[in-house]
Amino acid sequence: MKLGQYNELRVTRDSDYGLYLADTEGNEVLLPRRYVSDDMQPGSELRVFVYRDSEDRPVATTEIPYATVGQFAFLEVSDVNSTGAFLDWGLTGKQLLVPFSEQRVRMARGGIYPVYIYLDHATGRVVASGKLDRFTGNVPPAYRARQRVECLVLEHTPIGYRTIVDNLHRGMIYSSETYTPLEVGQTVTAYVKHVRPDGKIDLTLAGPQADRTAALAARIAEAARAAGGRLALGDASSPEEIRLAFSCSKKDFKRALGHLYKEGTATLGPDSVTLTR
């Protein structure tokens, strides 16, 4: 049974306190009565999150935490005491501890900080750390060019956005690769451009060309439809006008226009796109 993660468990028996669930090895955990619904019966298969409660007992919940073991996330500090900072984890009655020894900067109540969630094998408890560099770059990245990845935006720097890639690696999305600002704490889909010798990854938000062109063409057609069938942008429009309207480069915009023309969806003028159907 995996603490701090989701588990697929079977309902084995009912009790006054809730349902007991078991894994394939027979290890049991209680799902408290407040999470039990009428369709949960002995023999049912449930997907639940398992953690230790305030009395250090394993317990299951159908609530969804903000992040699980092995993930990075931005979480808010609910309380600070002599032990460390306690983060709002999204679970009723359960907060996530960041010991003082795991804080890169001293955390304050109400602050929102990036942390990594892990299982402390010494105590058997799920805790968090603000020392992110300890948990990135430990596995050699084995990506191919244009491979799709998920990135958590950590920081906006003068050259772009520093990210965590797939909860494992360090990456950078350069400002030249973005047409709209990203938000710190945002999770975005990106694509691998290059893996550097030091293991850091250069990323782009632009997907494979054919998919990107088709998606942009659909957005242009929808905008023209909303404008009554004619959009006042075309080949002669400035890159800035195009960027403001569609958050894309003029080169990608022209490719999308060509896509609409070849489909027979639109006729094109120097400063217009007119739908034909």
Side-chain angles (χ1 to χ4, degrees), residues 72-75 87 98 102 104-105 107 112-116 128-132 152-155 162 164 184-185:
F72 294 85
F74 279 80
L75 300 179
L87 308 177
V98 186
E102 292 295 330
R104 188 175 64 84
V105 296
M107 295 179 173
I112 298 175
Y113 302 89
V115 295
Y116 179 78
S129 174
K131 297 181 177 180
L132 308 187
L152 175 67
V153 179
L154 278 185
E155 180 185 13
R162 198 162 62 87
I164 300 288
V184 172

Side-chain angles (χ1 to χ4, degrees), residues 48-63:
V48 293
F49 183 76
V50 179
Y51 64 99
R52 290 190 184 275
D53 65 12
S54 57
E55 297 182 18
D56 220 22
R57 300 170 300 190
V59 65
T61 179
T62 55
E63 292 183 317

Side-chain angles (χ1 to χ4, degrees), residues 140-184:
Y143 294 111
R144 64 182 184 277
R146 311 303 301 173
Q147 186 168 339
R148 177 174 171 163
V149 295
E150 296 299 315
C151 301
L152 175 67
V153 179
L154 278 185
E155 180 185 13
H156 187 201
T157 74
I159 61 172
Y161 296 88
R162 198 162 62 87
T163 69
I164 300 288
V165 181
D166 287 343
N167 288 297
L168 287 171
H169 311 291
R170 286 163 285 185
M172 176 66 75
I173 303 173
Y174 293 95
S175 296
S176 59
E177 298 290 341
T178 61
Y179 292 98
T180 55
L182 302 179
E183 297 290 335
V184 172

